[in-house]
Amino acid sequence: MSADTMRAVVQDGFGGPEVLRIQQVPRPAPLPTEVLVRVHAAGINPVDWKTRGGAGMAGLLGEPPFTLGWDVSGVVEEVGFGVTTLKAGDEVYGMPWFPRVANAYAEYVTAPARQFARKPATLDHVHAAAVPLAALTAWQAVVDTAHLQAGQRVLVTAAAGGVGHFAVQFARHLGAHVIATASIARHPWLKELGANETIDYTTTRFEDAVVDVDVVIDLVGDAHDRTSTRSLKVLRPGGLLVAIPAGVSPELAQAAEAADVRVTPFLVEPDGAGLTMIADLIDAGRVAVEVEETFPLEQAGVAHARGEAGRTRGKLVLTVAN
């Protein structure tokens, strides 16, 4: 390998985990306002394996070949002209370029400096890489979109997953009453994170157990047992459903209007300033980060298969040996 190339996980076509393979590709160079980051770890998210299979962000990325991944933790190797917020040697984390291709499953990435933030000092790179996409999704949904207030009641579906475990903690930090759905084995952990109530979705329909909710953060969607539509039943008049996985269909919008509640689609955006606030909460011990398992870059396909199997507590992360 020369200084002009790097290892990256590339897919030449859509398909199962077997389409992911290591290749030597050109190493990127930072343009003005960009930084080159040497990747130590890359987080894995459901959007990754959905895109790999031809769904997710595939419609935006176009036909392969491309390299997946948006979660990055690493060290700034080089800064482009005009960058004043970061310097070589800084430890950073970020979710660059989303939803455009970011090439995070690789040894190096380039992106605008302000799409990164200094990583939490109390986290290693593996745990830092588990944060950006999931935590920014939760933060932007709970804080920027729902404007959740102290004393309000919030329901978080799929609360034990990557986004869910952050949403529970951010909502609790804001002083909300948090109701979380997850399998029974996850309930003690979710209560440690701040959930006031937990519902075992395998035995109980949440609409039979919950009423007068101000906000629903739905991380499941209507494709799975019509979870978004069922969420409308638990909202108080004027309450808000933030529908994250699949957005808002015309049918869901009509049902929300008929129920006198609000519904909004949502897609996370790169946000270095948001990551700085999240890092402060993590370093202050207010937010915990859960990594269930790590895999070397060469086993990206194995990691995808593990994620697609479901029942993950927190996040899966790829480690990158440099």
Side-chain angles (χ1 to χ4, degrees), residues 51 57-64 66-68 70 99-102:
T51 303
M57 295 299 137
L60 295 175
L61 301 188
E63 292 293 319
F66 52 67
T67 293
L68 287 171
W70 287 276
R100 291 186 289 169
V101 68

Side-chain angles (χ1 to χ4, degrees), residues 40 105 108 123 137 150 172 208-209 222 255-256 262 288 296 319:
H40 284 240
Y105 294 5
Y108 293 90
L123 296 185
T137 299
R172 187 60 177 161
D208 295 334
D222 263 347
R262 297 170 294 143
T319 57

Side-chain angles (χ1 to χ4, degrees), residues 92-183:
V92 296
Y93 75 145
M95 186 199 70
W97 295 118
F98 190 83
R100 291 186 289 169
V101 68
N103 303 305
Y105 294 5
E107 291 183 311
Y108 293 90
V109 298
T110 54
R114 292 178 187 270
Q115 292 186 2
F116 292 98
R118 286 176 174 80
K119 82 168 183 64
T122 54
L123 296 185
D124 57 22
H125 285 293
V126 166
H127 286 78
V131 174
L133 192 148
L136 281 177
T137 299
W139 182 268
Q140 292 172 10
V142 169
V143 178
D144 300 335
T145 302
H147 304 293
L148 194 66
Q149 303 295 312
Q152 289 189 318
R153 290 165 54 81
V154 58
L155 171 67
V156 180
T157 63
V163 176
H165 87 291
F166 285 118
V168 167
Q169 293 179 87
F170 294 151
R172 187 60 177 161
H173 170 70
L174 293 171
H177 181 93
V178 184
I179 307 161
T181 72
S183 62

